[in-house]
Amino acid sequence: MTVRVPAKVNVQLAVGAARPDGFHDLANVFLAVSLFDEVTVTPADELTVTCSGPDADQVPLDRTNLAARAAQLLAARAGRPDDAVHIHIAKNIPVAGGMAGGSADGAGALLACDILWGLNTPTEDLLDICAELGSDVPFSLIGGAALGTGRGEVLTPVEAGSFHWVFAVAEGGLSTPAVFREFDRLAEGRDVAAPQASPALLAALASGDADALASTLANDLQPAALSLRPDLERTLSTGVEAGALASLVSGSGPTTAFLVRDEEAAAKVAAALEASGTCRATRTTTSPAPGAALLP
Ligand code: C5P
C-alpha cells in the first residue's frame, strides 16, 4: 500500500498574536506543489519506521515520527488490538524545511493504514485525526489549495489556477516553534493585527495570473526566519535576479520559494540558484498538486 503525498508552500501566511495555548491564529493560504513523499505500509509484528532519500538520516525512526503517530492514533480510534505495521518513507520533501514534509508523512501513513486495515474511515474523521497530529496535517491530506484558519487546521478549499515554482533547499533546517518564538520576539511591544486572508491574493490565485500572484505573496514568518537565518537573503535575491517573478520563504523556512512564469524560466532560475552556492539543491514544481492518494 503506497500513498503519495505533496509538499506545500504558503502563498499567504498571516500570523496573529500568540494565543493562551501557545499557538497563533493564522490566515494561511496553502498551495500543494508537485514535490512528493511516498509512504508505504506493510503488515508487520510491531510498529517500525524506515526512511530512504537524501535527508533520511535526519528523520526520526521511533514512535514519535508523525507517520508512526498517525498509525498509533488510527489504531486507537478504530479500537484495533495493536498498531503493528511497517512504515517506509521515501523522502523527497526537505526535512524541517517549511514545506510540511513531516505533516505529509503523517497524512500519508494515516491514509495508507486506513486502506491496509480495511477501516474505510470517513474523511471527516481522518481530518480530525490529522488535526490532532499537527496544524498542517489536514491540508497534506486534501492537497490542492485551501485557506487554513484557526491554527491552520480549519480548511476551506479555494480555487487555484496553475503556477510554476522553483524551491531552493537550504543547508540544515529551522524549528517551527523557534520561528514562531522569534516572530513573538520581533512583535514585542507592537499590536499584532488579527490575521485575514487577502481578497486580492485569493483572486490572483484563482485567475492563474502569475504576475498578479507575484505582487500579492506574503509571509508574516519571513522576517522571523530571516532573523534566524540571514544567509537566506542572498538566496532570495539570487532567484529574483535570475528572473523569478517573486520570492518568499516557504512557511517557517528555511526553504525558499520562487514563483516563475513558465518551465523555461524555472530552469533558468534553478540553474542560477544551483550555481550561486546559496542553497544545497533546487526542486522545480507545478501547482496545485493533489492531496494524499493511493498509488496503483
Ligand atoms: O501544529 P504543529 O505541531 O505542527 O505546530 C508546531 C509548533 O509550531 C507549535 O508547537 C507552535 O510552537 C507553532 N505553531 C504556532 N501556531 C500555529 C501553528 C504552529 O505557534 N498556528
Side-chain angles (χ1 to χ4, degrees), residues 111-179:
L111 182 62
C113 287
D114 189 65
I115 298 167
L116 179 71
W117 293 337
L119 298 175
N120 256 316
T121 307
T123 304
E124 278 309 302
D125 296 351
L126 289 179
L127 285 169
D128 275 352
I129 299 176
C130 287
E132 207 173 318
L133 289 168
S135 306
D136 287 351
V137 185
F139 179 72
S140 299
L141 189 72
I142 69 162
L147 170 63
T149 53
R151 59 183 166 85
E153 87 286 19
V154 183
L155 296 177
T156 311
V158 299
E159 214 184 312
S162 77
F163 296 98
H164 295 263
W165 299 89
V166 176
F167 291 90
V169 183
E171 218 47 83
L174 263 178
S175 141
T176 303
V179 175

Side-chain angles (χ1 to χ4, degrees), residues 186-211:
L186 295 174
E188 241 163 35
R190 277 193 277 140
D191 270 344
V192 178
Q196 277 184 334
S198 151
L201 178 131
L202 291 172
L205 187 63
S207 71
D209 179 340
D211 291 301

Side-chain angles (χ1 to χ4, degrees), residues 22-24 26 134-135 151 176-177 180:
F23 283 89
H24 296 70
L26 306 177
S135 306
R151 59 183 166 85
T176 303
F180 274 103

Side-chain angles (χ1 to χ4, degrees), residues 211-235:
D211 291 301
L213 185 62
S215 65
T216 53
L217 294 172
N219 179 0
D220 286 355
L221 288 182
Q222 181 155 320
L226 291 177
S227 168
L228 297 174
R229 290 287 301 268
D231 56 311
L232 298 177
E233 294 271 18
R234 278 189 57 220
T235 321

